[in-house]
Amino acid sequence: MTTAPSRPLGRRAREWLVTEGEVGHADTGNSWWRVMCLTGVDYFSTLGYQPGIAALAAGLLSPIATLVLVALTLFGALPVYRRVAEESPHGEGSIAMLERLLSFWKGKLFVLALLGFALTDFIITITLSAADASAHLIENPNLRPYLSGHQVVITLVLVALLGAVFLRGFTEAIGVAVALVVTYLTLNTVVILVALGRVLSHPQLVPDWRHALVAEHGNPLAMLAVAVLVFPKLALGMSGFETGVAVMPHVRGDSTDTERRPSGRIRDTKRLLTTAAVVMSVFLVTSSFATTLLIPAHEFEPGGHANGRALAYLAHEYLGNAFGTTYDASTIAILWFAGASAMAGMLNLIPRYLPRYGMSPEWAGAVRPLVLILTGAAFLITWLFDASVDGQGGAYATGVLVLFTSAATAVTLAARRAGQRWRTIGFAVTTVVLAYTTASNVVERPDGVKIGGGFIAAIVVVSLASRVKRVFELRAREIEFDATSRVFLRDCARRTIRLVAHKTETRDVEEYVDKLRRLRRDHDLPSDPDVIFVEVTVVDPSDFEGRLHVHGEVLHQRYRVMSVSAPSVANALAALALRIRDDTGVNPHVYFEWTEGNPLQQLLRFLLFGSGEIAPVTREVLRRAEPDPTRRPHVHVG
């Protein structure tokens, strides 16, 4: 009896890490309200800590500051992201809108910077939610004696468990999200109604609060001014809009939707965003009012029983230990699942952009290596912030606000381009407000910029290194020949296919006559060689790969020319030669001329601008793509 040879441990580990668990899940679509629950595990879970953060930031002004937050949400962020949903119905988000408005390297670098802040947003969602979940565990009266003083360890365990789920394999469970959101919002409704009933049963609470406000701030105008000034600290309550757009592909829409214009999906996503914003606004205002009036101010401070868990404090205080423990369990579950939503967002966001730019290692399309890296980053941030909910609030707000500001900028430019004057003005005002909020948050709490800058630096360094490493790939996703170019190839395949790389200027007859004369001289070809001129135009060298469309035409009634647009001349020529070989069964000959100039300068021109020394680079691309020399297209240089 024989047994199959076992695979080496290193090979098995590589297969487990890289080969298995590719990003991408098929989805037939769901009702908009179910998808709202998927994004709601992130958005609605902020109720677990938002009232406490608002009380710390604004004190007695917390309800008024929350009203400012709600106003900007409903009349600023919501219209912005409804427009984003129109402009990017396949879930690309505001980053893709700005990418379309900017080109070349400046556009790519700008997108990489936004990705850095997006990762800040998502990573801090994981660590902040886990930290708040651990705070709810520790402050539970039944567990406090055993868990007190171990918040960092508990948070790290929760983050590790989240990473373990994704290492094993994760599919977004909308059904689980629906159950969590419905349960959590129901329990919050009970807590807030009981708390408001408590306020009504003690009528002196409202006048006492109002008198304290007047004594501290003077008049309503001063109160509003202070509320606006502290608003940036409350920006956590606006999270979830970018996620709401990102999950658009999960919305079923109508049966009449098309790929180019999924009108039903756009309509239902707008409904999703509006419903989530209205529901969250009601909860934010009522919870802020109840917690401010019923919880002593010192309990919101670090170490206080309401710090990071104001509504849980009320649940235990007014509904008893059993209900409070149930509320804690629900809060912990939704906070933990909010981290799962953020992780899933990153696993879909990173492969969406970096491979397309040629700026990711080969393993960036696999789940598990990314999970390990992102989990390690979450460990580091948890340790740096000592698992503090309050300490991470600024960094989280920075990531959220940068994405909001970029989205507002994108829709302002889109409205201006569409000639919509009043919408342009409205979006511009929102952009200014969000820009002020972002700047204020950065000045007061620079942690978010530091973390975002770290992510940006890491993304740019790894991305550029990966692009340089992969620069000799074919870089053509697909090649399409038009009817004329196919006739050229079919005709030449009966004899010898000779492709002449030609850099054109005026395309007049003298150019082609001179090119053929030099070709005969340098390569000792017949007096009238049967050739096809290939003219590659570099459109955007910052793109790594693309689809090549080959257009054939006869110029000056004699010269066959195939023209193609591509990010790089050399890679396009190599891909074209290999495709011609595969289609015709004939190995083509490709003719070049040496480029004059310093080799190092030519290399930089190739890396940055897609041109440079074409002949040796084309040969190297062919060598790497086709290891068999007998099947490799022939390269001639003169």
Side-chain angles (χ1 to χ4, degrees), residues 125 181 199 238 254 320 408 453 477 489 505 523 544 558 579 610:
T125 296
V181 167
V199 172
M238 297 173 65
D254 295 334
R477 293 195 306 269
L489 296 175
E505 294 180 2
H523 302 284
F544 184 74
R558 178 178 179 184
R579 174 63 184 274

Side-chain angles (χ1 to χ4, degrees), residues 13-37:
R14 177 177 174 80
E15 288 179 354
W16 183 81
L17 270 176
V18 180
T19 306
E20 301 174 7
E22 295 297 315
V23 173
H25 308 288
D27 191 357
T28 57
N30 290 266
S31 301
W32 66 267
W33 64 269
R34 291 174 61 84
V35 181
M36 182 189 71
C37 292

Side-chain angles (χ1 to χ4, degrees), residues 163-460:
V165 170
F166 280 86
L167 287 175
R168 182 173 178 82
F170 177 82
T171 301
E172 291 174 337
I174 292 181
V176 175
V178 171
L180 285 175
V181 167
V182 170
T183 301
Y184 184 65
L185 292 184
T186 300
L187 293 175
N188 273 284
T189 301
V190 173
V191 173
I192 291 173
L193 288 177
V194 169
L196 292 177
R198 184 79 174 182
V199 172
L200 292 175
S201 66
H202 294 75
Q204 79 279 3
L205 287 176
V206 175
D208 289 347
W209 169 65
R210 188 166 54 244
H211 293 152
L213 277 178
V214 172
E216 185 173 335
H217 299 286
N219 57 70
L221 188 60
M223 296 177 196
L224 182 61
V226 174
V228 171
L229 289 175
V230 301
F231 161 73
K233 298 180 181 179
L234 279 64
L236 294 180
M238 297 173 65
S239 66
F241 281 97
E242 194 75 29
T243 308
V245 174
V247 298
M248 279 189 73
H250 295 285
V251 178
R252 183 182 297 123
D254 295 334
S255 58
T256 56
D257 284 359
T258 63
E259 186 71 14
R260 288 179 59 87
R261 189 62 181 173
S263 301
R265 179 190 296 170
I266 293 172
R267 180 201 64 230
D268 285 349
T269 301
K270 289 182 177 181
R271 188 178 297 170
L272 177 159
L273 294 170
T274 303
T275 303
V278 171
V279 169
M280 188 62 172
S281 295
V282 172
F283 275 104
L284 284 175
V285 172
T286 53
S287 64
S288 176
F289 181 74
T291 54
T292 301
L293 268 64
L294 294 175
I295 300 177
H298 68 273
E299 294 288 4
F300 291 111
E301 300 291 336
H305 294 317
N307 181 253
R309 56 187 304 277
L311 287 173
Y313 178 95
L314 293 180
H316 283 277
E317 185 74 14
Y318 298 121
L319 290 164
N321 188 39
F323 185 92
T325 299
T326 302
Y327 182 87
D328 284 339
S330 174
T331 303
I332 292 165
I334 198 169
L335 285 169
W336 187 76
F337 208 74
S341 178
M343 181 73 83
M346 287 185 288
L347 293 177
N348 285 283
L349 187 68
I350 293 173
R352 176 177 291 172
Y353 288 98
L354 298 188
R356 195 155 45 85
Y357 293 172
M359 294 181 172
S360 67
E362 295 178 358
W363 46 258
V367 168
R368 288 170 180 147
L370 286 176
V371 169
L372 291 176
I373 292 174
L374 296 172
T375 303
F379 279 179
L380 178 61
I381 291 173
T382 297
W383 175 69
L384 289 175
F385 282 97
D386 202 29
S388 168
V389 175
D390 300 328
Q392 295 177 78
Y396 185 30
T398 298
V400 171
L401 289 170
V402 168
L403 291 180
F404 272 31
T405 305
S406 68
T409 303
V411 299
T412 301
L413 295 174
R416 183 169 180 261
R417 186 176 52 186
Q420 299 168 329
R421 180 183 177 186
W422 291 111
R423 290 190 179 186
T424 302
I425 294 173
F427 289 139
V429 171
T430 302
T431 303
V432 171
V433 173
L434 289 171
Y436 150 74
T437 305
T438 304
S440 176
N441 186 79
V442 167
V443 170
E444 185 168 347
R445 296 182 289 181
D447 295 329
V449 171
K450 294 177 182 178
I451 295 174
F455 278 122
I456 292 169
I459 289 174
V460 170

